[in-house]
Amino acid sequence: STVFTDSSVHGGMSVTAYGDAQVSTAQSVFGGASAVFDGSGDYLNVTGDFAWWNAGDYTVEFWLRANSVSGYQPLVTDNSGMNIHLSSDASISVNDAASASSIGGQTAIVVNTWTHIAVVRLGGTITLYLDGVVTATTSQSPGAGGGSLTVGGSGGSFYNGYIDDLRIVKGVAIFQGAFSP
């Protein structure tokens, strides 16, 4: 299937699949299905206003199972340059082109293994968690985010693997220290 549904209580976000992005039952953490991307032109576009990247606390979390860790692979990106991506050294990084802030985890992602990723902003601090462990923090706030959001691809680069249970919570820093995902 290529139908992705906003299952939040607010609903209403339109999700459009591009390329071969689709729902797969081959791998999942919860619910029996996940989004799969083959690294070649696949991504999801979520229509909405994501200016909140710079407007208070938030949590972005998801499960990742990479088929490959080579090259730059965007995971969650807004059209102003704020992005969470898999770096060429197999680590997860969070960048913002507008403010030139960047943080990266020191833990390498293992191919074909589910990893929980969480990016949390609490006050002026952004924290990156991998499997519930703090791997990086920065006190720089992201720049002016906004526009639509893409999952699995951006700017001609694409992710190769699975993403399950992407959750974005505006206004709440759910995790404030180590946790068990």
Side-chain angles (χ1 to χ4, degrees), residues 37-132:
F37 308 88
D38 68 9
S40 180
D42 304 345
Y43 66 98
L44 303 176
N45 187 68
V46 183
T47 304
D49 181 7
F50 292 91
W52 54 267
W53 281 117
N54 195 33
D57 298 343
Y58 62 78
T59 301
V60 177
E61 69 170 324
F62 54 94
W63 288 89
L64 168 101
R65 183 183 170 103
N67 293 330
S68 166
V69 291
S70 63
Y72 169 85
Q73 298 183 51
L75 302 168
V76 179
T77 305
D78 79 3
N79 66 3
S80 71
M82 178 65 180
N83 69 72
I84 303 167
H85 65 272
L86 182 57
S87 297
S88 58
D89 65 357
S91 68
I92 298 295
S93 294
V94 181
N95 289 11
D96 177 48
S99 70
S101 63
S102 177
I103 59 172
Q106 303 302 310
T107 304
I109 298 300
V110 178
V111 174
N112 298 322
T113 302
W114 285 106
T115 303
H116 183 265
I117 310 297
V119 177
V120 177
R121 180 168 187 232
L122 177 60
T125 301
I126 298 172
T127 304
L128 171 63
Y129 296 87
L130 286 121
D131 288 328

